[in-house]
Amino acid sequence: MKKSLLVCLMAGLALPHAFADSLLNPEQDAVLYYNATLINPATEQQLPEGWLLVKDGRIVQTGQLQASGSLPAAATQIDLQDQYVLPGLIDVHLHLTAGPHRVEMQDGKPVLTMKGDSEITRYHAISTLASGVTTAFSPAGEAAANAEYVRQQQAGSWPGPKLSYAGYIFEPTPIIGGSVHPKDEAGWQAEIASQQAQGVDYIKLYAGLSKEEVAMGVRLANQAGLQTVAHLDSVSWQFGAESGIDILTHALPTSAELLTGAAKTAYLAERKNPANQRFIYSWFQYVDYDSEPMQRLIRTLKKQQTRIDLTLVVNELFYFSRELGALYPETDMWVFHPQMRKGWRAVMAAPSYDWTAEDFAAAQQQLPKVQQFFKRLYDAGVPLAIGTDSVTSGPFYLRELQLSQAAGLTNWQVLQLATTGGARHLQLTDTGQLAEGFVADFIVLPVNPVTDLAALSTVQTVVQQGKAWQVDDLKAQLASLTKVEL
């Protein structure tokens, strides 16, 4: 490209100066990755004998080796030895800075705590990056802890995914290091301002709020220039979407308002006992997706373009909580910090502590119906993305992809949700594709994930914002943090 033409393009397209300089001098401090198949889910294209030129954290050029055998000049050239390159994965529901769930006494009462610490956060950030996740969103947590992680990650001190985040959830149930519940509108405004000062992009509204509180939360967040993410229960998704909530999360739209007739009556009778957690599967027994309330909901979600992360893996974890050893072998659990490795299964089993064998059988029979909900939203054009609701992505991310595929999606469609879908969810216009001008976030693996999603468990190299990490080296860092060999 001639320099005069480049200047014209810069004037017309307002290209970032750093990117324009990279085009002028591609060889200076640039890295060329070549001899690989480039997989671009956004276009459903595979480019054999492809190459990527990376500089200043961005993809400067992409191409395919031609018969002449010439490649762009670069200070460093890396032969990927016929492997596969995929955009970095995006986890839109990762509680990265949360610590082990514990119960502490507060004012003489037992209270749940999920306060984390920097060592655990650093461990989970590295294990998440080693899983191929280069970008993530934390939909709730200590704003100060998330802000500290972002500072450390951006400074290059803590390897891990690039993170945006919400703060403490607005929720009546007290959670140490997890929730707040201001008494009046002035208190809500003060808390929102406090969280905003700590870098949050979203305000998290939770299941115990009333309709009035949900509506107030959306209004006050928008007044502050923030968006909202919500986990709702008795307040319906219909009300949430109509109120302008930006993101709804979890395949648990468990409001009775979405049911009809005798099913609604029976479900309301079940919900009179607040200790009964069977609703996390029984709602799916009662719901009719062809009913007017559900059809109206799907139409509204599409019209509003409400972004959804269903975390199907959470439903499966609850429904199969007594079989997690088989679903997630101990060999896969290196992704958890040792302090959480032994206790995570007990946490997942807590809601079903009093379930009978019949309850578990009934719950497990609902998983296909949960997946049907996912497919109906997808087919309707409701924007979906991939999230784990974990503190580290690891095998939970792959399982979420597999559950999405089992719902009726192709591998291409699933990989789109994991990359461009996540970017759209987080409103990132320069992430999720192997394309010129995009952030240089990509993973290198020896097996083609278009053929088999399980290939994502074989990631060898993770490149994030242009910096390359070998997965074996990241695992070595984990071992050094805990003095435990992986």
Side-chain angles (χ1 to χ4, degrees):
M1 182 181 293
K2 293 182 180 180
K3 184 173 181 180
S4 59
L5 176 58
L6 178 61
V7 172
C8 293
L9 286 173
M10 287 175 61
L13 300 179
L15 290 172
H17 290 300
F19 180 48
D21 289 343
S22 296
L23 289 176
L24 285 169
N25 302 293
E27 71 283 353
Q28 184 178 353
D29 299 325
V31 180
L32 178 70
Y33 295 88
Y34 69 99
N35 189 19
T37 297
L38 307 185
I39 299 173
N40 211 345
T43 58
E44 294 193 12
Q45 291 181 324
Q46 300 185 68
L47 188 66
E49 298 186 359
W51 52 261
L52 294 164
L53 187 65
V54 173
K55 186 178 179 184
D56 296 327
R58 290 188 177 269
I59 298 171
V60 177
Q61 289 178 289
T62 69
Q64 185 177 32
L65 183 63
Q66 301 301 315
S68 64
S70 61
L71 288 168
T76 304
Q77 297 192 5
I78 298 176
D79 183 352
L80 294 180
Q81 300 179 341
D82 226 11
Q83 295 190 89
Y84 298 86
V85 175
L86 182 75
L89 306 176
I90 300 174
D91 189 337
V92 303
H93 199 129
L94 181 70
H95 295 288
L96 185 60
T97 60
H101 289 66
R102 304 180 302 274
V103 175
E104 296 183 2
M105 299 302 294
Q106 188 177 72
D107 299 327
K109 298 179 180 179
V111 178
L112 179 68
T113 175
M114 51 191 296
K115 281 185 75 70
D117 62 48
S118 60
E119 180 184 296
I120 292 176
T121 294
R122 289 179 65 189
Y123 188 102
H124 291 152
I126 294 171
S127 68
T128 294
L129 188 64
S131 303
V133 172
T134 54
T135 303
F137 173 59
S138 172
E142 292 180 88
N146 283 327
E148 175 63 15
Y149 168 77
V150 168
R151 284 193 293 270
Q152 297 285 358
Q153 191 271 335
Q154 291 181 347
S157 302
W158 293 3
K162 179 181 177 182
L163 188 74
S164 54
Y165 55 92
Y168 290 140
I169 63 174
F170 285 76
E171 160 66 24
T173 303
I175 303 173
I176 299 173
S179 69
V180 291
H181 191 233
K183 295 180 180 179
D184 53 28
E185 183 166 325
W188 277 67
Q189 287 178 312
E191 177 61 29
I192 289 172
S194 173
Q195 292 191 16
Q196 187 172 31
Q198 297 176 84
V200 305
D201 300 297
Y202 290 79
I203 296 302
K204 176 68 173 285
L205 307 173
Y206 211 65
L209 299 177
S210 66
K211 283 185 174 181
E212 294 74 20
E213 288 174 316
V214 168
M216 178 175 65
V218 173
R219 173 170 54 84
L220 295 178
N222 290 343
Q223 287 177 5
L226 299 173
Q227 298 187 61
T228 49
V229 53
H231 172 181
L232 302 180
D233 176 25
S234 61
V235 175
S236 76
W237 278 25
Q238 183 68 44
F239 180 85
E242 291 176 346
S243 298
I245 285 172
D246 297 286
I247 296 175
L248 289 167
T249 189
H250 297 310
L252 294 169
T254 42
S255 169
E257 291 186 24
L258 296 171
L259 305 177
T260 60
K264 182 175 183 178
T265 301
Y267 181 71
L268 284 170
E270 286 185 15
R271 295 304 301 270
K272 287 182 179 179
N273 177 6
N276 182 359
Q277 298 293 299
R278 291 168 178 81
F279 72 91
I280 61 180
Y281 73 83
S282 68
W283 184 89
F284 289 97
Q285 290 177 308
Y286 292 120
V287 70
D288 176 3
Y289 294 140
D290 293 318
S291 67
E292 175 52 27
M294 287 302 298
Q295 288 296 302
R296 179 185 172 210
L297 171 64
I298 294 172
R299 290 194 302 269
T300 303
L301 294 174
K302 178 184 179 180
K303 179 182 178 181
Q304 297 285 97
Q305 284 294 283
T306 306
R307 289 164 276 153
I308 310 287
D309 68 278
L310 289 173
T311 62
L312 304 175
V313 69
V314 173
N315 295 70
E316 184 179 58
L317 286 166
F318 285 152
Y319 301 169
F320 291 84
S321 62
R322 294 183 183 175
E323 302 171 36
L324 296 184
L327 281 172
Y328 297 95
E330 194 60 32
T331 52
D332 292 342
M333 293 301 103
W334 60 268
V335 297
F336 276 132
H337 187 278
Q339 288 188 35
M340 300 186 72
R341 202 170 296 166
K342 294 181 179 179
W344 75 275
R345 293 182 179 87
V347 171
M348 298 312 306
S352 59
Y353 75 97
D354 63 342
W355 289 11
T356 65
E358 290 74 19
D359 289 321
F360 279 106
Q364 291 166 17
Q365 289 169 7
Q366 301 316 306
L367 189 58
K369 198 167 182 181
V370 175
Q371 291 169 297
Q372 184 186 351
F373 180 53
F374 171 96
K375 186 63 160 54
R376 289 205 176 206
L377 293 177
Y378 182 90
D379 289 344
V382 177
L384 304 178
I386 299 297
T388 60
D389 194 28
S390 181
V391 294
T392 178
S393 300
F396 306 104
Y397 195 95
L398 174 58
R399 187 60 185 157
E400 184 71 14
L401 297 182
Q402 292 170 331
L403 289 169
S404 301
Q405 181 210 43
L409 272 61
T410 67
N411 284 6
W412 275 121
Q413 291 170 329
V414 171
L415 293 173
Q416 286 168 0
L417 294 184
T419 53
T420 54
R424 176 179 59 182
H425 192 90
L426 302 182
Q427 300 180 321
L428 302 172
T429 58
D430 62 354
T431 303
Q433 296 189 46
L434 302 179
E436 294 177 10
F438 275 65
V439 175
D441 286 354
F442 54 88
I443 58 178
V444 182
L445 54 171
V447 183
N448 191 343
V450 177
T451 304
D452 184 1
L453 293 174
L456 293 173
S457 64
T458 69
V459 176
Q460 303 288 310
T461 304
V462 180
V463 177
Q464 184 197 44
Q465 295 178 283
K467 181 175 176 58
W469 302 91
Q470 299 305 312
V471 170
D472 286 345
D473 292 340
L474 290 172
K475 288 184 175 181
Q477 288 193 42
L478 296 178
S480 66
L481 278 175
T482 60
K483 308 301 187 226
V484 175
E485 186 174 348
L486 302 181

